[in-house]
Coordinates of all heavy atoms in Angstrom, one line a residue:
M5 N 0.8 -1.2 0.0 CA 0.0 0.0 0.0 C 0.9 1.2 0.0 O 2.0 1.2 0.4 CB -1.0 0.0 1.2 CG -0.3 0.1 2.5 SD -1.5 -0.2 3.9 CE -2.0 -1.9 3.5
N6 N 0.3 2.3 -0.5 CA 1.0 3.6 -0.6 C 0.3 4.6 0.3 O -0.8 4.8 0.2 CB 0.9 4.0 -2.1 CG 1.6 5.4 -2.3 OD1 1.9 6.1 -1.4 ND2 1.8 5.7 -3.6
D7 N 1.1 5.1 1.2 CA 0.6 6.1 2.2 C 1.4 7.3 2.1 O 2.6 7.3 2.5 CB 0.5 5.5 3.6 CG -0.1 6.5 4.6 OD1 -1.0 7.3 4.1 OD2 0.3 6.6 5.7
Q8 N 0.9 8.3 1.4 CA 1.6 9.6 1.3 C 3.0 9.4 0.6 O 4.0 10.0 1.1 CB 1.7 10.3 2.6 CG 0.4 10.6 3.2 CD 0.5 11.2 4.6 OE1 1.4 11.9 4.9 NE2 -0.6 11.0 5.4
G9 N 3.1 8.5 -0.4 CA 4.3 8.3 -1.1 C 5.3 7.3 -0.6 O 6.3 7.0 -1.2
E10 N 5.0 6.7 0.6 CA 5.8 5.6 1.2 C 5.0 4.3 1.0 O 3.8 4.2 1.1 CB 6.0 5.9 2.7 CG 6.8 7.1 3.0 CD 8.2 7.0 2.6 OE1 8.8 5.9 2.7 OE2 8.8 8.0 2.1
F11 N 5.8 3.3 0.6 CA 5.2 2.0 0.3 C 5.4 1.0 1.5 O 6.5 1.0 2.1 CB 5.7 1.4 -1.0 CG 5.3 2.1 -2.2 CD1 6.1 3.2 -2.6 CD2 4.2 1.8 -2.8 CE1 5.7 4.0 -3.7 CE2 3.8 2.5 -4.0 CZ 4.5 3.6 -4.4
Y12 N 4.3 0.2 1.8 CA 4.3 -0.7 2.8 C 3.6 -2.0 2.4 O 2.7 -2.0 1.5 CB 3.6 -0.2 4.1 CG 4.1 1.1 4.6 CD1 3.6 2.3 4.1 CD2 5.1 1.1 5.5 CE1 4.1 3.5 4.5 CE2 5.6 2.4 5.9 CZ 5.1 3.5 5.4 OH 5.6 4.7 5.9
A13 N 4.1 -3.2 2.9 CA 3.4 -4.4 2.6 C 3.2 -5.2 3.9 O 4.0 -5.2 4.8 CB 4.3 -5.3 1.7
L14 N 2.0 -5.7 4.1 CA 1.6 -6.4 5.3 C 0.6 -7.5 4.9 O 0.1 -7.5 3.8 CB 1.1 -5.5 6.4 CG 0.0 -4.6 6.1 CD1 -0.8 -4.3 7.4 CD2 0.5 -3.2 5.6
Q15 N 0.5 -8.4 5.9 CA -0.4 -9.5 5.6 C -1.8 -9.0 5.2 O -2.2 -8.0 5.7 CB -0.5 -10.5 6.8 CG -1.4 -10.1 7.9 CD -1.4 -11.1 9.1 OE1 -0.4 -11.4 9.6 NE2 -2.6 -11.5 9.4
S16 N -2.5 -9.8 4.4 CA -3.7 -9.3 3.8 C -5.0 -9.7 4.7 O -6.1 -9.2 4.4 CB -3.9 -9.9 2.4 OG -4.0 -11.3 2.5
L17 N -4.8 -10.5 5.7 CA -6.0 -10.9 6.5 C -5.9 -10.3 7.9 O -4.9 -10.3 8.5 CB -6.1 -12.4 6.6 CG -6.2 -13.1 5.3 CD1 -6.3 -14.7 5.6 CD2 -7.5 -12.7 4.6
C18 N -7.0 -9.7 8.3 CA -7.1 -9.1 9.6 C -7.1 -10.2 10.7 O -7.6 -11.3 10.6 CB -8.5 -8.4 9.7 SG -8.8 -7.6 11.3
G19 N -6.4 -9.8 11.8 CA -6.3 -10.8 12.9 C -7.6 -11.0 13.7 O -7.7 -12.0 14.4
H20 N -8.6 -10.2 13.5 CA -9.9 -10.4 14.2 C -10.6 -11.6 13.8 O -10.8 -12.5 14.6 CB -10.8 -9.1 14.0 CG -12.1 -9.2 14.7 ND1 -13.2 -8.7 14.1 CD2 -12.4 -9.7 15.9 CE1 -14.2 -8.9 14.9 NE2 -13.8 -9.5 16.0
Q21 N -11.0 -11.7 12.5 CA -11.7 -12.9 12.0 C -11.2 -13.4 10.7 O -11.9 -14.0 9.9 CB -13.2 -12.5 11.9 CG -13.9 -12.3 13.2 CD -15.4 -12.1 13.1 OE1 -16.0 -12.0 12.0 NE2 -16.1 -11.9 14.2
N22 N -9.9 -13.1 10.4 CA -9.2 -13.5 9.2 C -10.0 -13.1 7.9 O -10.0 -13.8 7.0 CB -9.0 -15.0 9.2 CG -7.8 -15.4 10.0 OD1 -6.9 -14.6 10.2 ND2 -7.7 -16.6 10.5
L23 N -10.6 -12.0 7.9 CA -11.2 -11.4 6.7 C -10.2 -10.5 6.1 O -9.4 -9.9 6.7 CB -12.5 -10.7 7.1 CG -13.6 -11.6 7.7 CD1 -14.8 -10.8 8.3 CD2 -14.0 -12.6 6.7
P24 N -10.4 -10.2 4.7 CA -9.5 -9.4 4.0 C -9.4 -8.0 4.4 O -10.5 -7.4 4.6 CB -9.9 -9.5 2.5 CG -11.0 -10.6 2.5 CD -11.5 -10.8 3.9
L25 N -8.2 -7.4 4.5 CA -8.1 -6.0 4.8 C -8.2 -5.2 3.5 O -8.3 -3.9 3.5 CB -6.7 -5.7 5.4 CG -6.5 -6.2 6.8 CD1 -5.0 -6.3 7.2 CD2 -7.2 -5.2 7.7
A26 N -8.3 -5.9 2.3 CA -8.4 -5.2 1.1 C -9.7 -4.2 1.1 O -10.7 -4.6 1.6 CB -8.6 -6.1 -0.1
G27 N -9.5 -3.0 0.7 CA -10.6 -2.1 0.7 C -10.6 -1.2 2.0 O -11.4 -0.3 2.1
G28 N -9.8 -1.6 2.9 CA -9.7 -0.8 4.2 C -9.1 0.6 3.9 O -8.1 0.7 3.1
K29 N -9.6 1.6 4.5 CA -9.0 2.9 4.3 C -7.7 3.0 5.1 O -7.5 2.5 6.2 CB -10.0 3.9 4.9 CG -11.3 3.9 4.1 CD -11.9 5.3 3.9 CE -13.2 5.3 3.1 NZ -13.5 4.4 2.2
V30 N -6.7 3.7 4.4 CA -5.5 4.0 5.0 C -5.4 5.5 5.2 O -5.6 6.3 4.3 CB -4.3 3.5 4.1 CG1 -3.0 3.9 4.7 CG2 -4.4 2.0 3.9
W31 N -5.0 5.9 6.5 CA -4.9 7.3 6.8 C -3.8 7.5 7.8 O -3.9 6.9 8.9 CB -6.3 7.8 7.3 CG -6.3 9.3 7.4 CD1 -6.3 10.3 6.5 CD2 -6.4 10.0 8.7 NE1 -6.4 11.5 7.0 CE2 -6.5 11.4 8.4 CE3 -6.5 9.6 10.0 CZ2 -6.6 12.4 9.3 CZ3 -6.5 10.6 11.0 CH2 -6.6 11.9 10.6
Q32 N -2.9 8.4 7.5 CA -1.8 8.7 8.4 C -1.2 7.5 9.1 O -1.0 7.4 10.3 CB -2.3 9.7 9.5 CG -2.7 11.0 8.9 CD -3.0 12.1 10.0 OE1 -3.2 11.8 11.1 NE2 -2.9 13.3 9.6
G33 N -0.8 6.5 8.2 CA -0.1 5.4 8.7 C -0.9 4.3 9.4 O -0.3 3.4 10.0
V34 N -2.2 4.4 9.3 CA -3.1 3.4 9.9 C -4.1 2.9 8.9 O -4.7 3.6 8.1 CB -3.9 4.1 11.1 CG1 -4.9 3.1 11.7 CG2 -2.9 4.6 12.1
I35 N -4.2 1.5 8.9 CA -5.2 0.9 8.0 C -6.4 0.5 8.9 O -6.2 0.0 10.0 CB -4.7 -0.3 7.2 CG1 -5.8 -0.8 6.3 CG2 -4.2 -1.4 8.1 CD1 -5.4 -1.8 5.2
D36 N -7.6 0.8 8.4 CA -8.8 0.5 9.2 C -9.5 -0.7 8.5 O -9.9 -0.6 7.3 CB -9.7 1.7 9.1 CG -11.0 1.6 9.9 OD1 -12.0 1.1 9.3 OD2 -11.0 1.9 11.1
C37 N -9.6 -1.8 9.1 CA -10.3 -3.0 8.5 C -11.7 -2.7 8.2 O -12.5 -2.1 9.0 CB -10.2 -4.2 9.5 SG -11.0 -5.7 8.8
P38 N -12.1 -3.0 6.9 CA -13.4 -2.6 6.5 C -14.5 -3.4 7.1 O -15.7 -3.0 7.0 CB -13.4 -2.9 4.9 CG -12.3 -3.9 4.8 CD -11.3 -3.7 5.9
W39 N -14.2 -4.5 7.8 CA -15.3 -5.3 8.4 C -15.8 -4.8 9.7 O -17.0 -4.6 9.9 CB -14.8 -6.8 8.5 CG -14.5 -7.3 7.1 CD1 -13.2 -7.3 6.5 CD2 -15.4 -7.9 6.2 NE1 -13.3 -7.9 5.3 CE2 -14.6 -8.2 5.1 CE3 -16.7 -8.1 6.2 CZ2 -15.2 -8.8 3.9 CZ3 -17.3 -8.7 5.1 CH2 -16.5 -9.0 4.0
H40 N -14.9 -4.7 10.7 CA -15.3 -4.3 12.1 C -14.4 -3.2 12.6 O -14.4 -3.0 13.8 CB -15.3 -5.5 13.0 CG -16.0 -6.7 12.4 ND1 -15.3 -7.8 11.9 CD2 -17.3 -7.0 12.2 CE1 -16.1 -8.7 11.5 NE2 -17.3 -8.3 11.6
H41 N -13.6 -2.7 11.8 CA -12.8 -1.5 12.1 C -11.6 -1.7 13.1 O -11.3 -0.8 13.8 CB -13.7 -0.3 12.5 CG -14.6 0.0 11.5 ND1 -14.3 0.6 10.3 CD2 -16.0 -0.2 11.4 CE1 -15.3 0.7 9.5 NE2 -16.4 0.2 10.1
F42 N -11.1 -2.9 13.2 CA -9.8 -3.0 13.9 C -8.8 -2.1 13.1 O -8.9 -2.0 11.9 CB -9.3 -4.5 13.8 CG -9.8 -5.3 15.0 CD1 -11.1 -5.1 15.5 CD2 -9.0 -6.4 15.5 CE1 -11.5 -5.9 16.5 CE2 -9.5 -7.2 16.5 CZ -10.7 -6.9 17.0
Q43 N -7.9 -1.6 13.8 CA -6.9 -0.7 13.1 C -5.5 -1.1 13.4 O -5.2 -1.6 14.5 CB -7.1 0.8 13.6 CG -8.4 1.3 13.2 CD -8.7 2.7 13.7 OE1 -8.0 3.2 14.6 NE2 -9.7 3.4 13.1
Y44 N -4.6 -1.0 12.4 CA -3.2 -1.4 12.5 C -2.3 -0.3 12.0 O -2.6 0.3 11.0 CB -3.0 -2.7 11.6 CG -3.9 -3.8 12.1 CD1 -5.1 -4.0 11.5 CD2 -3.4 -4.7 13.0 CE1 -5.9 -5.1 11.9 CE2 -4.2 -5.8 13.4 CZ -5.5 -6.0 12.8 OH -6.3 -7.0 13.2
D45 N -1.1 -0.2 12.7 CA -0.1 0.6 12.2 C 0.6 -0.1 11.0 O 1.0 -1.2 11.1 CB 1.0 0.8 13.3 CG 2.1 1.7 12.9 OD1 2.6 1.6 11.8 OD2 2.5 2.5 13.8
I46 N 0.6 0.5 9.8 CA 1.0 -0.1 8.6 C 2.6 -0.2 8.6 O 3.1 -1.0 7.8 CB 0.5 0.6 7.3 CG1 1.1 2.0 7.2 CG2 -1.0 0.5 7.2 CD1 0.7 2.6 5.9
R47 N 3.3 0.5 9.4 CA 4.7 0.3 9.5 C 5.2 -0.8 10.3 O 6.2 -1.5 10.0 CB 5.4 1.6 10.0 CG 5.2 2.8 9.0 CD 5.3 4.1 9.7 NE 4.2 4.1 10.7 CZ 3.9 5.2 11.4 NH1 4.5 6.3 11.2 NH2 2.9 5.1 12.3
T48 N 4.4 -1.1 11.4 CA 4.9 -2.1 12.3 C 3.9 -3.3 12.4 O 4.3 -4.4 12.9 CB 4.9 -1.5 13.8 OG1 3.6 -1.2 14.2 CG2 5.8 -0.3 13.8
G49 N 2.7 -3.2 11.9 CA 1.7 -4.2 12.0 C 1.0 -4.2 13.3 O 0.0 -5.0 13.5
E50 N 1.4 -3.4 14.3 CA 0.8 -3.3 15.6 C -0.7 -3.0 15.5 O -1.2 -2.1 14.8 CB 1.5 -2.3 16.5 CG 0.9 -2.2 17.9 CD 1.4 -1.1 18.7 OE1 2.1 -0.2 18.2 OE2 1.1 -1.0 19.9
N51 N -1.5 -3.7 16.3 CA -2.9 -3.4 16.5 C -3.0 -2.1 17.3 O -2.5 -2.1 18.4 CB -3.7 -4.6 17.1 CG -5.1 -4.2 17.3 OD1 -5.5 -3.5 18.2 ND2 -6.0 -4.8 16.5
L52 N -3.8 -1.2 16.8 CA -4.0 0.1 17.6 C -5.4 0.2 18.2 O -5.5 0.8 19.2 CB -3.7 1.3 16.6 CG -2.4 1.3 15.9 CD1 -2.3 2.5 15.0 CD2 -1.3 1.4 17.0
Y53 N -6.3 -0.4 17.5 CA -7.7 -0.5 18.0 C -8.2 -1.9 17.7 O -8.0 -2.4 16.6 CB -8.6 0.6 17.3 CG -10.0 0.4 17.7 CD1 -10.5 1.0 18.9 CD2 -10.9 -0.4 17.0 CE1 -11.8 0.9 19.3 CE2 -12.2 -0.6 17.5 CZ -12.6 0.1 18.6 OH -13.9 -0.1 19.1
P54 N -8.7 -2.5 18.7 CA -9.1 -2.0 20.0 C -8.1 -2.1 21.1 O -8.3 -1.8 22.3 CB -10.3 -3.0 20.3 CG -9.9 -4.3 19.7 CD -9.2 -3.9 18.4
K55 N -6.9 -2.6 20.8 CA -5.8 -2.8 21.8 C -5.7 -1.6 22.8 O -5.5 -1.8 24.0 CB -4.5 -3.1 21.1 CG -3.4 -3.4 22.1 CD -2.1 -3.7 21.4 CE -0.9 -3.9 22.3 NZ 0.3 -4.1 21.6
R56 N -5.7 -0.4 22.2 CA -5.4 0.7 23.1 C -6.6 1.3 23.8 O -6.5 2.2 24.6 CB -4.8 1.9 22.3 CG -3.4 1.5 21.8 CD -2.7 2.6 21.1 NE -1.4 2.3 20.7 CZ -0.6 3.0 20.0 NH1 -1.0 4.2 19.5 NH2 0.6 2.6 19.7
I57 N -7.8 0.6 23.6 CA -9.0 1.1 24.1 C -9.5 0.2 25.3 O -10.0 0.7 26.3 CB -10.1 1.2 23.0 CG1 -9.7 2.1 21.9 CG2 -11.4 1.7 23.6 CD1 -9.4 3.5 22.2
Y58 N -9.5 -1.1 25.1 CA -10.1 -2.0 26.1 C -9.0 -2.6 27.0 O -7.9 -2.8 26.6 CB -10.8 -3.1 25.3 CG -12.0 -2.6 24.5 CD1 -11.9 -2.4 23.2 CD2 -13.2 -2.3 25.2 CE1 -13.0 -1.9 22.4 CE2 -14.2 -1.8 24.5 CZ -14.1 -1.6 23.1 OH -15.2 -1.1 22.4
L59 N -9.5 -2.9 28.2 CA -8.6 -3.7 29.1 C -8.6 -5.1 28.7 O -9.6 -5.8 28.9 CB -9.2 -3.5 30.5 CG -9.2 -2.0 31.1 CD1 -9.9 -2.0 32.4 CD2 -7.7 -1.6 31.2
L60 N -7.5 -5.5 28.1 CA -7.5 -6.9 27.5 C -7.5 -8.0 28.6 O -8.0 -9.1 28.3 CB -6.3 -7.0 26.6 CG -6.3 -6.0 25.4 CD1 -5.0 -6.2 24.6 CD2 -7.5 -6.2 24.6
N61 N -7.1 -7.7 29.8 CA -7.1 -8.7 30.8 C -8.5 -9.1 31.2 O -8.8 -10.1 31.8 CB -6.2 -8.4 32.0 CG -6.7 -7.1 32.6 OD1 -7.5 -6.4 32.1 ND2 -6.1 -6.7 33.8
T62 N -9.5 -8.2 30.8 CA -10.9 -8.5 31.2 C -11.6 -9.1 29.9 O -12.7 -9.6 30.1 CB -11.6 -7.3 31.6 OG1 -11.6 -6.3 30.5 CG2 -11.0 -6.7 32.8
L63 N -10.9 -9.1 28.8 CA -11.5 -9.7 27.6 C -10.5 -10.6 26.9 O -9.9 -10.3 25.9 CB -11.8 -8.5 26.6 CG -12.8 -7.5 27.1 CD1 -12.8 -6.2 26.2 CD2 -14.2 -8.1 27.2
P64 N -10.3 -11.8 27.4 CA -9.3 -12.7 26.9 C -9.5 -13.1 25.4 O -8.5 -13.2 24.7 CB -9.4 -14.0 27.8 CG -10.6 -13.8 28.6 CD -11.0 -12.4 28.6
K65 N -10.7 -13.2 25.0 CA -10.9 -13.6 23.6 C -10.4 -12.4 22.7 O -9.8 -12.7 21.6 CB -12.4 -13.8 23.3 CG -12.8 -14.1 21.9 CD -12.4 -15.5 21.5 CE -12.9 -15.8 20.1 NZ -12.2 -17.0 19.5
L66 N -10.6 -11.2 23.1 CA -10.1 -10.1 22.3 C -8.6 -10.1 22.3 O -8.0 -9.8 21.3 CB -10.7 -8.8 22.9 CG -10.3 -7.5 22.1 CD1 -10.9 -7.6 20.7 CD2 -10.9 -6.3 22.8
G67 N -8.0 -10.4 23.4 CA -6.6 -10.5 23.5 C -6.0 -11.4 22.4 O -4.9 -11.1 21.9
E68 N -6.6 -12.5 22.1 CA -6.2 -13.4 21.1 C -6.3 -12.8 19.7 O -5.6 -13.3 18.8 CB -7.0 -14.7 21.1 CG -6.9 -15.5 22.4 CD -7.9 -16.6 22.5 OE1 -8.5 -16.9 21.5 OE2 -8.1 -17.1 23.6
Q69 N -7.2 -11.9 19.5 CA -7.5 -11.4 18.1 C -6.6 -10.2 17.8 O -6.8 -9.7 16.6 CB -8.9 -11.1 18.1 CG -9.8 -12.3 18.2 CD -11.3 -11.9 18.4 OE1 -11.6 -10.8 18.8 NE2 -12.2 -12.8 18.0
I70 N -5.8 -9.7 18.6 CA -5.1 -8.4 18.3 C -3.6 -8.6 18.1 O -2.9 -7.7 18.2 CB -5.4 -7.4 19.4 CG1 -4.9 -7.9 20.8 CG2 -6.8 -7.0 19.5 CD1 -4.4 -6.9 21.7
S71 N -3.2 -9.8 17.7 CA -1.8 -10.0 17.4 C -1.4 -9.1 16.3 O -2.3 -8.8 15.4 CB -1.5 -11.5 17.1 OG -2.3 -11.9 16.1
P72 N -0.1 -8.7 16.2 CA 0.3 -7.8 15.1 C 0.2 -8.5 13.8 O 0.4 -9.7 13.7 CB 1.7 -7.4 15.5 CG 2.1 -8.4 16.5 CD 0.9 -9.0 17.2
L73 N 0.0 -7.7 12.7 CA 0.1 -8.3 11.4 C 1.5 -8.5 11.0 O 2.4 -7.8 11.4 CB -0.6 -7.3 10.4 CG -2.0 -6.9 10.6 CD1 -2.5 -5.9 9.6 CD2 -2.9 -8.2 10.6
C74 N 1.7 -9.4 10.1 CA 3.1 -9.6 9.5 C 3.3 -8.4 8.6 O 2.4 -8.0 7.8 CB 3.1 -10.9 8.7 SG 2.9 -12.4 9.6
I75 N 4.6 -8.0 8.6 CA 5.0 -6.9 7.7 C 6.1 -7.4 6.8 O 6.8 -8.3 7.2 CB 5.4 -5.6 8.4 CG1 6.5 -5.9 9.4 CG2 4.2 -5.0 9.1 CD1 7.1 -4.7 10.0
Y76 N 6.2 -6.9 5.6 CA 7.2 -7.4 4.6 C 8.0 -6.2 4.1 O 7.5 -5.2 3.8 CB 6.5 -8.1 3.5 CG 5.5 -9.1 3.9 CD1 4.1 -9.0 3.7 CD2 5.9 -10.3 4.5 CE1 3.2 -9.9 4.2 CE2 5.0 -11.3 5.0 CZ 3.7 -11.1 4.8 OH 2.8 -12.0 5.2
P77 N 9.3 -6.5 4.0 CA 10.2 -5.4 3.5 C 9.8 -5.0 2.0 O 9.5 -5.9 1.2 CB 11.6 -6.0 3.5 CG 11.5 -7.1 4.5 CD 10.1 -7.7 4.4
V78 N 9.9 -3.7 1.8 CA 9.5 -3.2 0.4 C 10.7 -2.4 -0.1 O 11.3 -1.7 0.7 CB 8.3 -2.3 0.5 CG1 8.0 -1.6 -0.8 CG2 7.1 -3.1 1.0
R79 N 11.0 -2.5 -1.3 CA 11.9 -1.6 -2.0 C 11.5 -1.2 -3.4 O 10.7 -2.0 -4.0 CB 13.3 -2.2 -2.0 CG 13.4 -3.4 -2.9 CD 14.8 -4.0 -2.9 NE 14.9 -5.1 -3.9 CZ 15.9 -5.8 -4.1 NH1 17.1 -5.6 -3.4 NH2 15.9 -6.7 -5.0
I80 N 11.9 -0.1 -3.8 CA 11.5 0.4 -5.2 C 12.8 0.2 -6.0 O 13.9 0.8 -5.7 CB 11.1 1.9 -5.1 CG1 10.1 2.1 -4.0 CG2 10.6 2.3 -6.5 CD1 8.8 1.4 -4.2
V81 N 12.6 -0.5 -7.1 CA 13.7 -0.7 -8.1 C 13.2 -0.4 -9.5 O 12.2 -1.0 -9.9 CB 14.2 -2.2 -8.0 CG1 15.3 -2.4 -9.1 CG2 14.7 -2.5 -6.6
D82 N 13.8 0.6 -10.1 CA 13.4 1.0 -11.5 C 11.9 1.2 -11.6 O 11.2 0.7 -12.4 CB 13.8 -0.1 -12.5 CG 15.3 -0.2 -12.6 OD1 16.0 0.8 -12.4 OD2 15.8 -1.3 -12.9
E83 N 11.4 2.0 -10.6 CA 9.9 2.3 -10.5 C 9.0 1.1 -10.3 O 7.8 1.2 -10.5 CB 9.5 3.1 -11.8 CG 10.3 4.4 -11.9 CD 9.8 5.2 -13.1 OE1 8.8 4.9 -13.7 OE2 10.5 6.2 -13.4
Q84 N 9.6 0.0 -9.9 CA 8.8 -1.2 -9.5 C 8.8 -1.4 -8.0 O 9.9 -1.2 -7.4 CB 9.3 -2.4 -10.2 CG 9.1 -2.5 -11.7 CD 9.5 -3.8 -12.3 OE1 10.3 -4.5 -11.8 NE2 8.9 -4.2 -13.4
V85 N 7.7 -1.7 -7.5 CA 7.6 -2.0 -6.0 C 7.9 -3.5 -5.8 O 7.2 -4.3 -6.4 CB 6.2 -1.7 -5.5 CG1 6.2 -2.0 -4.0 CG2 5.9 -0.2 -5.7
Q86 N 9.0 -3.8 -5.1 CA 9.3 -5.2 -4.8 C 9.1 -5.5 -3.3 O 9.5 -4.7 -2.5 CB 10.8 -5.4 -5.2 CG 11.1 -5.2 -6.7 CD 12.5 -5.5 -7.0 OE1 13.4 -5.6 -6.1 NE2 12.8 -5.7 -8.3
V87 N 8.5 -6.6 -3.1 CA 8.1 -7.0 -1.7 C 8.8 -8.3 -1.4 O 8.7 -9.3 -2.2 CB 6.6 -7.2 -1.6 CG1 6.3 -7.7 -0.1 CG2 5.9 -5.9 -1.9
E88 N 9.6 -8.4 -0.3 CA 10.2 -9.6 0.1 C 9.3 -10.3 1.1 O 8.8 -9.7 2.0 CB 11.5 -9.3 0.8 CG 12.2 -10.5 1.3 CD 13.5 -10.2 2.1 OE1 14.0 -9.1 1.9 OE2 14.0 -11.1 2.8
V89 N 9.0 -11.6 0.7 CA 8.1 -12.3 1.6 C 9.0 -13.4 2.3 O 9.3 -14.5 1.7 CB 6.9 -13.0 0.8 CG1 6.0 -13.7 1.8 CG2 6.2 -11.9 0.1
P90 N 9.4 -13.2 3.5 CA 10.3 -14.2 4.2 C 9.5 -15.4 4.7 O 8.3 -15.4 4.7 CB 10.8 -13.4 5.4 CG 9.8 -12.3 5.6 CD 9.2 -12.0 4.3
Q91 N 10.2 -16.4 5.0 CA 9.6 -17.7 5.5 C 8.8 -17.4 6.8 O 7.7 -17.9 7.0 CB 10.7 -18.7 5.8 CG 11.4 -19.2 4.6 CD 10.6 -20.2 3.8 OE1 9.8 -20.9 4.3 NE2 10.9 -20.2 2.5
A92 N 9.4 -16.6 7.7 CA 8.7 -16.3 9.0 C 8.1 -14.9 8.9 O 8.6 -14.0 8.3 CB 9.7 -16.4 10.1
C93 N 7.1 -14.8 9.7 CA 6.4 -13.5 9.8 C 7.2 -12.5 10.6 O 7.8 -12.9 11.6 CB 5.1 -13.7 10.6 SG 4.1 -12.3 10.9
E94 N 7.3 -11.3 10.2 CA 7.9 -10.2 10.9 C 6.8 -9.3 11.4 O 5.9 -9.0 10.6 CB 8.9 -9.5 10.1 CG 10.1 -10.2 9.7 CD 11.0 -9.4 8.8 OE1 11.1 -8.1 9.0 OE2 11.7 -10.0 7.9
S95 N 7.0 -8.7 12.5 CA 6.2 -7.6 12.9 C 7.0 -6.6 13.7 O 8.0 -7.0 14.3 CB 5.0 -8.1 13.7 OG 5.4 -8.7 14.9
G96 N 6.6 -5.4 13.7 CA 7.1 -4.3 14.4 C 8.5 -4.4 14.9 O 9.1 -3.6 15.4
Ligands
FES129 S1 -12.2 -8.9 10.4 FE1 -11.1 -7.0 10.6 S2 -12.1 -6.1 12.3 FE2 -13.2 -7.9 12.1

């Protein structure tokens, strides 16, 4: 994805219910899942919402659903966006 001229690549499925993040709005470094509005930092994959809003120790099921998204290194070569997909998931 392209956010203000910077390119990022991250896993395509949301940690909440494994639904596609495709079509989610990106704004100021945050992608908003189009299904139930979980939000992730596109640079680190960190869950920002609901993680920063709810007390997760009181909602154990939610705690399982907010793991960070995998992020993938991106580089631009001859005006092409290249994404490296490593064997193991990286996050923040
Ligand atoms: S599937 Fe993304 S918020 Fe529910």
Side-chain angles (χ1 to χ4, degrees):
M5 66 189 60
N6 177 346
D7 184 33
Q8 300 177 27
E10 296 292 324
F11 290 88
Y12 304 91
L14 52 154
Q15 80 180 56
S16 61
L17 299 178
C18 177
H20 179 218
Q21 293 184 356
N22 278 338
L23 295 172
L25 286 163
K29 298 219 178 330
V30 177
W31 188 70
Q32 294 191 339
V34 176
I35 184 167
D36 184 270
C37 179
W39 297 94
H40 314 102
H41 302 289
F42 274 32
Q43 295 178 345
Y44 299 90
D45 184 317
I46 63 172
R47 294 159 297 193
T48 65
E50 178 188 9
N51 179 285
L52 303 176
Y53 175 83
K55 180 180 176 185
R56 293 185 177 173
I57 303 299
Y58 294 102
L59 296 173
L60 298 178
N61 57 352
T62 62
L63 300 167
K65 179 73 175 163
L66 185 59
E68 297 170 12
Q69 297 171 334
I70 56 150
S71 55
L73 300 178
C74 297
I75 56 173
Y76 307 113
V78 173
R79 67 180 183 182
I80 309 300
V81 178
D82 295 331
E83 299 184 9
Q84 291 186 333
V85 179
Q86 296 181 346
V87 178
E88 178 184 342
V89 182
Q91 295 281 335
C93 176
E94 291 180 31
S95 61

